[in-house]
Structures are given as structure tokens and as C-alpha cells.
Amino acid sequence: MKMHFKEGIHEKNIIVRCGADRILPFALTFGLYIIIYGTVSPGGGFQGGVTVASAILFLYLAYGYDKTTLTVNPEVLRINEAIGASIYVILGLSGILTGMNFCRNWLFDNGAVGDVISAGTVTFMGYTVGYKVLTGVGFLLILMLGLLGPDSSDKKPVKPQKIDPAPAPVVPGKDAKLLSEIKAEKSAEANAEPAADNAQSLEGKEA
């Protein structure tokens, strides 16, 4: 992001960039912590996924849209969102395959109370939700930021081009010529060219 002071003068907003560089690692770490410990502490996959996806906003504010899309590929996010949704469906169908209901927790007796992995399939489904949300919300953020006008503040203002004035309108009866007059002028010009050539040849012979 740049600040425009005068024409031709552009300066980086160092405060925004430094702030984003400091907050970005904390946002990523905190979001992943919420996803991993969502089953044993306040939080969960959705809350942690949104927190991790907020890193894209920090990148955009600090470095602009072009560098953000180079760092975080939107196509990769779109594909990984579909993968996360597929894994969630597979985990839900595993309950039916074990003779229970859809999304049934059939690993509930694994792990001690308070451990990170102690809620059975609920733990893995929470991780899958966080994975899908951080990729899906990140992809939507990139799309919305692109609609705002990528790097509109990072580009030099375009000077308006001078437009040539329109020609004066032709006044009927005054500026317009009849077809016969145009033909007569063309024939006179055609006759004048051979006469000029003959005059030049005669001058050359006399010389």
C-alpha cells in the first residue's frame, strides 16, 4: 500500500507493513492452536479456520493484491477446500460403515480425558472443518479483494489524455460541394500533372 503525497511522489506505508509482519505469525499460530485444541478447550475448527484465513488480509494490507496472490495461490485454496469437504464426508460415512449413524463417533473410547486426541472421530472432524474453513474463507477473501480493484492505491495515477477537438460541422449549402464540382477539381488536378511534367522536360532539353 502506498501513500500519494504529490504527483510523481510515492512512499511505502512502513507502519502498516511492520504491523502486519508482527501480527501475521501470531494469527497463524493462534488459529492453528484453536483448531488443534478445539475439542478440549474453547474454540473449534470453524473459529480457528477463520483466524488462519485472516492472514490473507494482513498480506493484502501490507503488500497489495498482486503479491498476496503470488504468496497464496487461489487455485490451490479452491482445490484444497474440495479436498477438506470430501474428507469430512468420508469421516461421516465411516459411522455408517461401522453399523452406526452418519457422523457417529465410533472412536469415542480412545484416549484419556483432556488429551488432544480424546474425542474420537469428533477430533478428526474438527480438524477437517478447520482445514476446509481456512481454505474456503481464504479463497473468498481473495475473490472479494480482487473485486475492490487490485492494487488501486499502488499504481501511479494515470494522467488524462488530451482529446483532439471535434472538426467543425459541415454546413449544407456552404461547405458542401456538389459531385460535379468534385469531379471537375479531380480532372483539373489530373490535367495539371502532365502539363507540369512536360514543362520540366522542355526545361531539361533547353538546358
Side-chain angles (χ1 to χ4, degrees):
M1 179 178 289
K2 296 179 181 179
M3 299 177 63
H4 301 296
F5 297 96
K6 293 181 180 180
E7 184 179 354
I9 299 178
H10 305 275
E11 185 173 326
K12 288 287 186 181
N13 195 335
I14 303 299
I15 297 176
V16 176
R17 175 172 290 186
C18 292
D21 291 342
R22 299 297 183 274
I23 298 175
L24 183 60
F26 173 77
L28 293 174
T29 304
F30 184 63
L32 293 175
Y33 174 85
I34 293 175
I35 294 174
I36 295 172
Y37 291 90
T39 54
V40 295
S41 64
F46 185 85
Q47 295 86 342
V50 173
T51 304
V52 174
S54 66
I56 294 177
L57 290 177
F58 295 118
L59 288 174
Y60 173 76
L61 293 175
Y63 299 98
Y65 182 81
D66 293 336
K67 292 184 179 180
T68 301
T69 52
L70 290 176
T71 305
V72 184
N73 192 337
E75 186 64 19
V76 174
L77 291 179
R78 186 185 65 82
I79 295 173
N80 281 271
E81 181 191 9
I83 294 174
S86 301
I87 296 174
Y88 185 88
V89 173
I90 292 172
L91 289 174
L93 291 174
S94 65
I96 298 177
L97 296 177
T98 55
M100 301 180 185
N101 300 329
F102 182 74
C103 289
R104 185 67 178 267
N105 187 3
W106 54 278
L107 292 175
F108 60 90
D109 56 346
N110 290 339
V113 177
D115 292 344
V116 176
I117 302 177
S118 60
T121 55
V122 175
T123 301
F124 301 105
M125 294 177 76
Y127 296 164
T128 306
V129 170
Y131 179 63
K132 183 187 182 305
V133 169
L134 71 89
T135 53
V137 174
F139 179 67
L140 291 176
L141 283 174
I142 291 178
L143 289 181
M144 289 188 293
L145 294 173
L147 294 176
L148 294 177
D151 287 350
S152 58
S153 62
D154 290 352
K155 295 180 180 179
K156 297 181 179 180
V158 180
K159 295 182 179 180
Q161 298 179 353
K162 295 182 179 180
I163 301 175
D164 296 334
V170 177
V171 180
K174 182 179 179 182
D175 298 328
K177 295 181 179 180
L178 297 176
L179 184 59
S180 59
E181 295 178 357
I182 296 175
K183 290 182 177 180
E185 291 179 356
K186 289 184 177 180
S187 61
E189 292 176 357
N191 295 330
E193 291 179 358
D197 295 338
N198 293 331
Q200 292 178 358
S201 62
L202 291 173
E203 291 178 357
K205 290 179 180 179
E206 291 176 355

